Structure formats: C-alpha cells, structure tokens
Amino acid sequence: MSTAIKPSPGPFYAVLIIYLGIMAFIGWYASRRTKSLGDFFVLSGKAGVLVSGIAYFSTQFSMGTFLGTPGTIYNVGYAGMAISVPGAVFCMILPALLIGKKLVTLGHEYGFLTMADYLSDRYHSKAMSGVLGIMMLFFLIPMMGAQSIGAGVIVHVFTGLPNWVGVVGMGAIVILYCMSGGMKGAMMTDVIQGTLMFGTAIITFIVSVSMGGGFSNINSTLQGMNESYLTFPGANGYMPWAYYVSNIVLWSFFTMGQPHLFTKFFTMKDHKTMFKAILLGTAGMVISATLIEWAGVNGIASIQNIGDSDQIVPMILQRGLNPFLASIFISGIVAAGMSTIDGILVTTTGAVTRDIYQKIINRKATDDKVMKLSKGFTILIGIIVILFGVFQPGSIFEINLFAFSGMAIFVVPILFGMYWKRSTVAGAIAAVAVGVVSLLCFTWIPSVKALAFGFHALFPSTILGAVTMIIVSRFTQAPPEETIKRHFDIFKKDAIVKKEAA
C-alpha cells in the first residue's frame, strides 16, 4: 500500500549532475566536429546501424512513454497496455517500408536535410517550407514542453522542489548541447539515453513486480479493487475497440509524419544500415514499452491515492530501490525526455532558419550564416519550451497526443508525393489546411466529435485531407516533368550508378 516517502535529494542531485555534465560534454565535443550545415542537421548522412537504431528509438520514446503512458495505464489497468506491442513493432517498420528506402537515397543524392527539403523539392514550391515551418512551431513546441513537464515531475518526487526547477534545468542542458553540436550532439547523446531508457524499463518492471508481491498477488489485489482493471476495455471503459484500433494505427502508421523522425532517414548511411537499424530499434522499443507500461499496471496494487498519476514510475523507483540506484535509473526517464527534445529542437530550428529564412526570406543567406542563426534560434525556441513546461497547460499524455496528431496530418502530402505523380502543391497545402482544421473540430467540438464514432479525431481528419488532396490536385498544375522524374526514377538512377561503378 501507499506510504509517504521523504525525498532524498542528495543522491539524486549527485547522479543527475554527473549525468547532465556528461551530456553537456558531449555537446561540446560534437561542436568541435560539426563543420557544415549537413553535419549540424543530419550528421552528413553518415550514421551507422547502432547510432541510427538507438537514435530513432530514443527520439520516438519520450516522457510520454515513461511517465504519461504508465500514468494513464495506472488509471485503466491491463487494457491500457493493449496498444504497446503492435504500436511499437510497426512504428519503425511501416515508415521504413513505405518511405524510408526512398528517403535515404534522395537524401544522399540531392543533399536533403529536412522534411521541408523533401516536400518543397517534390512539389516544386518553397511555399511548402513555410507551411511546414509554421506547423512545426505550432505543434512541436508543445511536444517539447510535455517532455520538460516530465522533468518537473521527477525533480518534485525526488527532491520535493517545485516542478519548475526540473523544467528549467533540463531545458538549459538540452539547449546547450543542441546549440553546440546540432544533430551530431543529439544523436551521440541519444545512444547513451536510449541505453539508459532500456535499462530503466527493465529495472522498473522488476521492482514493480517485487513491490506488488508477485504476479499472482498483484492480479488478486487488482481483482479485489476493481475487476475492470483485469479486463477489456479497462476501468471506466477507457479502451473501447474503436479507440484501441485508433491508437495502434496512430502510434505506428502516423509516425512517418513526424519531422524529427522523418529526418532520421537522411542521417543513415545506406539502405542496409536502415534495415539493420530498424531491427535493433524495434527490439528495444517492444521490450521497453511493454515493461514500462506493465509497471504502471503493477503500481496500482502497491501505490494508491497519488495526486498525479504521471508520478507512478518515479514513485516505484523511489520506493523500491535505495536512493543512489533509484537516481541512476530515473536518469533513464530524464533521458527519454531529453532525447525527444533534442531531436525535435534541432528539427524545429531547421524549419525556422533553413526552411523559412534561407528558402523564403533571404535566399542569398550562406550556410555559415544559417548555422549561426540556428544556434540563436535554438536558444529562443528552447526558452519558449521552458516557459511552456513551467505553465503546464495539460497532462503529459494529452499534450503529446495533441502535438503528435497535428504533425501526423503531413502523412497525406508525404505519401501522395511518394506514390502519386499527379499530386500538386495546391493539393498538398489544401490537404494540410483541411486536415488540421478538421482535427481541431473533431477534438474540441462535441457535436463534430460524435461523428467520428469513437475513433480518434486524426482518422476522419486524414480521410478528409486525402480527399481534398485528390480533388484539388485534379484541378491544379502538376509539378514539372523534370521534378517528377527526379523523384520517381531515383532508384533507376541509383542502379545505373552502381552498375557503372561495378
């Protein structure tokens, strides 16, 4: 049962200072080896299997995975875990199969650094850069803010200090190493952070089972508390079938619309690297997601009456381990947030400085000027994220879900751009506009929300966006034939080059 535990800030401070110091050192080290804009944004397309696999997995996983999702499941029971395995299995596999191979080739061939590079080139329009940049500022700043909220939760549980202390502390360190080393710094830290996250998931699960007295005792306790914890659709009917299907598709198929994950394909060395990285990353994601979510269920039996369910995982570690060990593994949760923020921060900075400033506002700007400007905007965006985290407009899970859904609308112009030659820029922009407006309506207007029949708002919004794409593209000017050939004949060109080299 739940008993009050007095925070032990000493060990927590010691471990966290060492950990954050290592992250800061990596940022400094990476900055000394970041020589070009390509290095800063996509590691010049040289990332190998280990770095690619762990970086993709650690960027995909966030405070939502290690705090928000277990916190939600703590209120639901086993039904809340129903999406973890299918969602984690396909969230790397589907993007790789549908768009990854082509993006790796296009990135190396044409020097693409961002999602906007691809979209503006495919649709032969700089306007796509502006649309994407604005959307990223609107949706990805809240996503980063959700991670900083998680840092506040952790600091409060382990020290008793106000949440804003953790928000500011983590934000400052991430700004430092992203400003210094860009994607090189982000991906180097992601390897350490991803390893920590994996270990934290395993240890938290083991500790939660021990605290609950074993599986039989945990299940018996849950049955005595509320039988719906053990059945589908869970406590309060949280997971009806429509919402269940929605979540599986949401966290697997729609990951390809996230700019910070999309860009990872431009960092990979080649196709073989990509497929090996997928296997590595998927294995890490399935194991860690399943165990950390299961720990949320186990926590119901041993820790009750907590004010904020997002605190369940930190509480399990705090109450089940000695202070130093708990602090070491809590760093894995801090790592989850930092790895997501750094990937998004570098990508968002690129949207402002490269996709909006260099491509639209000042086309004569040199790469050196853009890189210097990027460091300034990293600080500015980072400060906005910190302020978002301090004011905390919602729960970690709710904010993550909203931000993820907003960017997921870009699946429409991405997939149509990959597979339909007739897709036009007017169709792409109209599809995004209709999709976002629909998403907001299906989310916030009860009478409209009812029309989704229990499915997540992203489903009908994406369908409306796709229909808009087809209709508008049919009546507007297609990109030049040269652009279409460049994108659709890329593998033919690649094969010719390899044949000539042989």
Side-chain angles (χ1 to χ4, degrees), residues 197-428:
M197 288 156 61
F198 187 76
T200 296
I202 295 173
I203 295 300
T204 303
F205 173 72
I206 293 172
V207 171
S208 70
V209 173
S210 176
M211 288 176 64
F215 294 113
S216 296
N217 190 61
I218 289 171
N219 291 334
S220 177
T221 301
L222 294 181
Q223 185 171 25
M225 293 173 64
N226 185 349
E227 284 191 5
S228 61
Y229 282 136
L230 302 173
T231 61
F232 198 87
N236 304 314
Y238 181 83
M239 190 66 72
W241 73 270
Y243 190 66
Y244 169 60
V245 171
S246 294
N247 273 275
I248 292 176
V249 178
L250 181 72
W251 300 113
S252 54
F253 177 79
F254 284 101
T255 55
M256 70 185 80
Q258 308 303 311
H260 52 294
L261 300 175
F262 184 99
T263 303
K264 287 291 190 287
F265 289 110
F266 295 146
T267 69
M268 296 178 184
K269 189 184 299 182
D270 50 39
H271 298 146
K272 289 183 179 179
T273 296
M274 182 190 73
F275 285 113
K276 290 178 181 178
I278 288 167
L279 295 177
L280 174 65
T282 298
M285 294 176 88
V286 171
I287 294 171
S288 54
T290 301
L291 295 184
I292 201 68
E293 291 176 13
W294 201 340
V297 176
N298 296 338
I300 302 171
S302 54
I303 303 175
Q304 289 107 42
N305 303 317
I306 60 177
D308 182 357
S309 60
D310 285 344
Q311 296 178 359
I312 185 60
V313 169
M315 283 186 169
I316 289 171
L317 292 171
Q318 183 201 38
R319 300 179 185 201
L321 295 173
N322 73 57
F324 277 104
L325 282 177
S327 299
I328 289 172
F329 289 109
I330 207 68
S331 294
I333 302 176
V334 176
M338 292 177 72
S339 63
T340 298
I341 290 181
D342 61 31
I344 299 175
L345 187 55
V346 173
T347 306
T348 307
T349 297
V352 175
T353 58
R354 178 174 166 79
D355 301 332
I356 296 178
Y357 179 75
Q358 189 180 40
K359 293 182 179 179
I360 298 175
I361 298 175
N362 183 7
R363 298 185 182 183
K364 295 181 179 180
T366 63
D367 283 357
D368 285 341
K369 183 174 182 178
V370 171
M371 190 154 70
K372 290 177 182 178
L373 193 63
S374 295
K375 294 181 179 183
F377 267 97
T378 298
I379 297 174
L380 178 61
I381 294 172
I383 291 173
I384 295 173
V385 168
I386 289 173
L387 292 174
F388 190 96
V390 169
F391 288 103
Q392 302 184 20
S395 74
I396 296 171
F397 184 80
E398 290 169 344
I399 296 169
N400 255 345
L401 184 60
F402 173 74
F404 186 96
S405 300
M407 293 311 304
I409 294 296
F410 275 91
V411 163
V412 176
I414 288 170
L415 286 181
F416 274 90
M418 287 273 177
Y419 293 101
W420 191 35
K421 295 181 180 181
R422 191 64 184 75
S423 302
T424 70
V425 63

Side-chain angles (χ1 to χ4, degrees), residues 424-441:
T424 70
V425 63
I429 293 175
V432 171
V434 169
V436 171
V437 171
S438 300
L439 179 69
L440 297 178
C441 291

